[in-house]
Amino acid sequence: MDVLKGNFQTKKPATLNKKSDNESLEDRFEREALKNLGGSIAFVSKKKVLWGDEDQN
Amino acid sequence: MAKVLFINPVVREEDVPRHVPYGIALLAAIAIEKGHLVQVYDANAWRAGDEVLDTVLAADHWDAIALGGITTAYGSIKKIAQRARQACPNAKIILGGGVLTSLPTEIMTWLPQVDIGCIGEGFITFPEILNSIDLGQEEFNQVRGTISRNAEGSLVMAPQRSLLHDLDSLPYPAWDLFPLEEVYFPNSTALFSEEGMMAERRLDINMSYGCSMICRYCYHLGISGDMRYEVDKNGKPSGVSFDQPGTYNRTIRYHSPEYVVNLVKHMHDKYGVDFVTFLDENLMTMDRTSGGTWLGRICELWHEKGLAPTFEADGSWSGVCWSGTSHATLCNPEILKIMRKAGCVHLVYGYESFAPHVMKTIGKGATPKTNIRSFHWTLAADIRPVPNQIIGFPNEDFASIRMNMDAWKDLGIVVKPHFATPYPGSEWFTVYRNSIERQYGGNLEDFILDLGDATKITAVISHNFNAVELVGLRDMMLNFDYRHLEEYEMIWRDNHGIKEGAPSTLYSEPKLKKAS
């Protein structure tokens, strides 16, 4: 999808590639959960946590 | 002619993009009218990240990259300016809007990548900058309304630019250059009324500039006559100032009703718009200034042009519903009824507080009595009032908090108040600047980066409560928790040595001090 809109043709196109075009399911879930945060709606933001460390077992 | 790339920065990241940037859309239309080659990258709409921004910057050889926005877009603007400078070393980077206007010298210092700042209104200044670029000029101090860098890299302010008085000479905004179908129309919903909720193709318009009121927390972007130029000992412009205690200037301007309704007709016919939001600061100021004719004539023409909505049983409609901003003291029942018949469905009121002693200090020209009167008038006209509230005013105290809770209960108001926030350009920013800087460890830029839409707390201007207290008090207000409020008041009085029965306040009238 073209992200530039104007009155002439640019030398090179500027488009949304698949990677940034499609929000991941994880991102979508965290965004929606954040909107309703409170009470029993709580979640782990996976990008902010490191797990699997042996010391924690 | 100049090849111009407009970039709309990201703002209110916590919400979906809902508003086509009206100023950029107008400036893009003006640039096209002057024959320039224009592209728009709406970073706020696409929310696509740095990779896409880099592709946009590399898409052509740009002569000018134009950025602008309100103060809360500063973080995004800073990031874009840095990447733009790196990717396009020869392009002139131009910054305008409220973010630059409120603190021109500071912003130009914090953003060395920006070549030219456009202070205040850009309708005349911006095309003149493009013209200078076309002529190959490297210095811009001859263009009124700018701040730029000279050959030595020092900042130079050109003389002040006058405001445009013939607003109807403006072209229609270049909405075609924004992702209406892809982004904005799917986000049309505005949860302020049933019709707002059902809107499917909403766009915003701004049909007037200015407000006659002197609300101490408000900022008018330098387009309401509120901005004054300061000069140095040689008589050269050295900075700008805005409202200060006892010094207020206002210029009220508005489009003719014919321009307004022809524009809406164009939006309806060309884009299928079913809902229009007036972004105007205060529609009622314009109506009063026009001798009570402006809104009435707009409504008349709305009917004449076939735009007044007709409703189906399921609540859907044909025509164009609309909404805007009102004022408790300036509205009247007659105009509200006329507006409803023409399709006005909700009106935003900055009621702010239902405490008389608080209302007295904020310069709003309203009282709890006029708040309540307009509230009933608006409901009687079958328009939903949107009753905005603020807590954390300088003289907020336990009494005002209880008065607000009582009023919300009596009037059925469901609200989570904003926090009183001293946005740059407002009187309270000027008055409390030293305190704001202290709260951010002396770093004003950190405060600017922290600013949002006042739903979270930033710099505190309350004389009685700190940030922790205000957040807690707001929570108690929402839950009508009078018991904990009473308990905490006793602790607070004890901490501050104020006996029961005495006013619960440490407030004294602030005195203006020069920034350090």
Side-chain angles (χ1 to χ4, degrees):
Chain A
M1 199 183 295
D2 220 334
V3 295
L4 274 173
K5 290 178 187 276
N7 64 348
F8 73 102
Q9 187 76 44
T10 53
K11 287 179 181 156
K12 287 186 254 174
T15 53
L16 280 180
N17 60 29
K18 284 283 173 201
K19 200 176 160 192
S20 51
D21 196 9
N22 295 331
E23 187 181 29
S24 74
L25 198 57
E26 180 185 310
D27 286 344
R28 200 178 122 210
F29 161 71
E30 294 191 2
R31 182 167 50 79
E32 291 301 321
L34 196 60
K35 281 185 200 166
N36 295 289
L37 192 66
S40 59
I41 303 289
F43 65 94
V44 175
S45 175
K46 290 189 182 173
K47 288 190 185 69
K48 292 181 183 167
V49 67
L50 287 171
W51 69 95
D53 187 350
E54 281 175 13
D55 292 347
Q56 292 165 22
N57 291 329
Chain B
M1 301 306 273
K3 221 174 238 188
V4 188
L5 170 64
F6 284 93
I7 304 180
N8 181 34
V10 178
V11 71
R12 282 195 177 177
E13 216 165 350
E14 68 282 2
D15 192 11
V16 295
R18 296 185 186 278
H19 306 284
V20 176
Y22 198 80
I24 293 179
L26 268 178
L27 291 178
I30 291 169
I32 289 171
E33 206 176 56
K34 299 278 183 194
H36 298 289
L37 298 171
V38 173
Q39 292 283 339
V40 173
Y41 172 54
D42 190 339
N44 188 48
W46 294 111
R47 307 270 170 102
D50 294 342
E51 261 177 57
V52 175
L53 173 62
D54 291 343
T55 314
V56 164
L57 292 166
D60 217 310
H61 175 79
W62 306 108
D63 298 308
I65 297 173
L67 300 165
I70 54 175
T71 303
T72 53
Y74 177 70
S76 171
I77 287 169
K78 188 177 169 91
K79 201 164 104 179
I80 294 168
Q82 286 166 346
R83 290 188 99 85
R85 181 76 301 149
Q86 213 166 15
C88 312
N90 298 319
K92 296 290 178 212
I93 299 180
I94 308 165
L95 175 63
V99 62
L100 182 281
T101 299
S102 58
L103 295 165
T105 311
E106 290 87 342
I107 298 283
M108 290 294 283
T109 306
W110 297 335
L111 301 180
Q113 303 84 5
V114 174
D115 296 294
I116 311 142
C118 181
I119 303 173
E121 194 162 90
F123 299 146
I124 304 168
T125 307
F126 183 68
E128 282 193 14
I129 294 171
L130 295 185
N131 190 41
S132 296
I133 291 172
D134 274 346
L135 294 171
Q137 289 171 356
E138 284 298 319
E139 295 203 4
F140 297 86
N141 57 350
Q142 80 288 2
V143 181
R144 282 180 173 268
T146 60
I147 179 167
S148 55
R149 301 176 202 280
N150 62 17
E152 291 77 45
S154 305
L155 292 175
V156 187
M157 267 181 86
Q160 187 166 8
R161 167 74 64 190
S162 308
L163 297 172
L164 176 71
H165 283 281
D166 181 13
L167 290 178
D168 285 2
S169 64
L170 290 171
Y172 291 164
W175 280 302
D176 288 332
L177 306 192
F178 294 83
L180 301 183
E181 301 295 342
E182 303 93 326
V183 178
Y184 287 110
F185 286 149
N187 295 331
S188 286
T189 289
L191 285 176
F192 300 109
S193 62
E194 289 79 349
E195 294 83 357
M197 181 180 73
M198 291 172 72
E200 290 179 347
R201 300 179 74 80
R202 176 183 51 79
L203 280 179
D204 312 323
I205 56 175
N206 192 72
M207 294 294 97
S208 62
Y209 300 85
C211 176
S212 55
M213 298 299 157
I214 52 163
C215 302
R216 264 108 200 172
Y217 50 84
C218 195
Y219 167 45
H220 308 273
L221 315 172
I223 57 177
S224 301
D226 56 317
M227 181 171 64
R228 292 180 299 280
Y229 268 45
E230 290 160 352
V231 290
D232 62 18
K233 57 181 183 219
N234 301 316
K236 289 191 173 165
S238 59
V240 296
S241 61
F242 299 90
D243 286 357
Q244 289 177 12
T247 311
Y248 308 99
N249 297 305
R250 290 290 182 273
T251 304
I252 307 291
R253 298 171 294 157
Y254 44 88
H255 282 284
S256 69
E258 288 72 21
Y259 181 100
V260 176
V261 179
N262 286 338
L263 173 62
V264 176
K265 177 88 172 117
H266 161 79
M267 295 158 75
H268 183 57
D269 293 348
K270 184 170 181 187
Y271 303 106
V273 162
D274 62 359
F275 197 104
V276 162
T277 303
F278 283 78
L279 299 172
D280 305 46
E281 281 194 64
N282 181 347
L283 289 176
M284 293 300 166
T285 273
M286 305 304 146
D287 201 49
R288 280 292 178 98
T289 307
S290 68
T293 60
W294 190 65
L295 278 172
R297 183 65 184 144
I298 288 173
C299 292
E300 241 174 60
L301 291 171
W302 211 278
H303 288 284
E304 278 176 29
K305 296 275 181 185
L307 296 169
T310 49
F311 291 92
E312 302 295 330
D314 64 358
S316 63
W317 64 91
S318 56
V320 182
C321 288
W322 53 285
S323 68
T325 46
S326 188
H327 185 275
T329 309
L330 300 178
C331 71
N332 65 69
E334 292 73 32
I335 193 61
L336 291 169
K337 282 177 204 152
I338 291 167
M339 288 163 74
R340 174 64 222 198
K341 279 188 188 147
C344 177
V345 292
H346 63 255
L347 284 172
V348 176
Y349 285 89
Y351 287 146
E352 325 307 12
S353 176
F354 287 95
H357 60 289
V358 168
M359 291 300 279
K360 254 186 200 170
T361 62
I362 67 176
K364 185 100 201 174
T367 63
K369 200 175 158 186
T370 60
N371 279 355
I372 293 166
R373 188 182 67 180
S374 67
F375 177 86
H376 290 299
W377 282 348
T378 309
L379 282 174
D382 196 24
I383 295 173
R384 267 193 185 271
V386 183
N388 279 339
Q389 295 278 276
I390 299 176
I391 67 158
F393 284 117
N395 66 338
E396 195 81 65
D397 56 14
F398 287 98
S400 63
I401 284 170
R402 284 198 188 85
M403 286 176 197
N404 285 328
M405 289 160 71
D406 293 346
W408 300 352
K409 256 193 170 171
D410 291 347
L411 300 170
I413 289 175
V414 181
V415 65
K416 188 173 182 180
H418 291 103
F419 291 111
T421 302
Y423 287 103
S426 69
E427 180 177 335
W428 277 340
F429 174 78
T430 307
V431 170
Y432 290 101
R433 182 166 174 162
N434 288 343
S435 157
I436 295 163
E437 289 182 358
R438 268 199 309 277
Q439 292 176 55
Y440 282 83
N443 189 338
L444 187 64
E445 189 183 16
D446 281 351
F447 167 63
I448 305 298
L449 286 164
D450 200 26
L451 281 170
D453 64 0
T455 51
K456 83 175 175 93
I457 203 147
T458 56
V460 172
I461 55 170
S462 168
H463 293 214
N464 293 324
F465 302 121
N466 60 32
V468 175
E469 289 171 323
L470 284 171
V471 172
L473 289 166
R474 183 171 75 169
D475 212 48
M476 285 180 209
M477 293 172 84
L478 298 180
N479 293 305
F480 295 100
D481 190 349
Y482 288 96
R483 187 175 65 82
H484 278 114
L485 190 65
E486 196 173 323
E487 239 177 63
Y488 185 66
E489 183 176 352
M490 284 164 65
I491 297 166
W492 185 92
R493 282 179 182 278
D494 206 33
N495 288 344
H496 295 285
I498 296 178
K499 286 182 185 156
E500 210 180 328
S504 60
T505 190
L506 308 164
Y507 176 76
S508 61
E509 194 71 32
K511 289 184 181 72
L512 179 62
K513 285 178 197 157
K514 275 273 172 204
S516 52

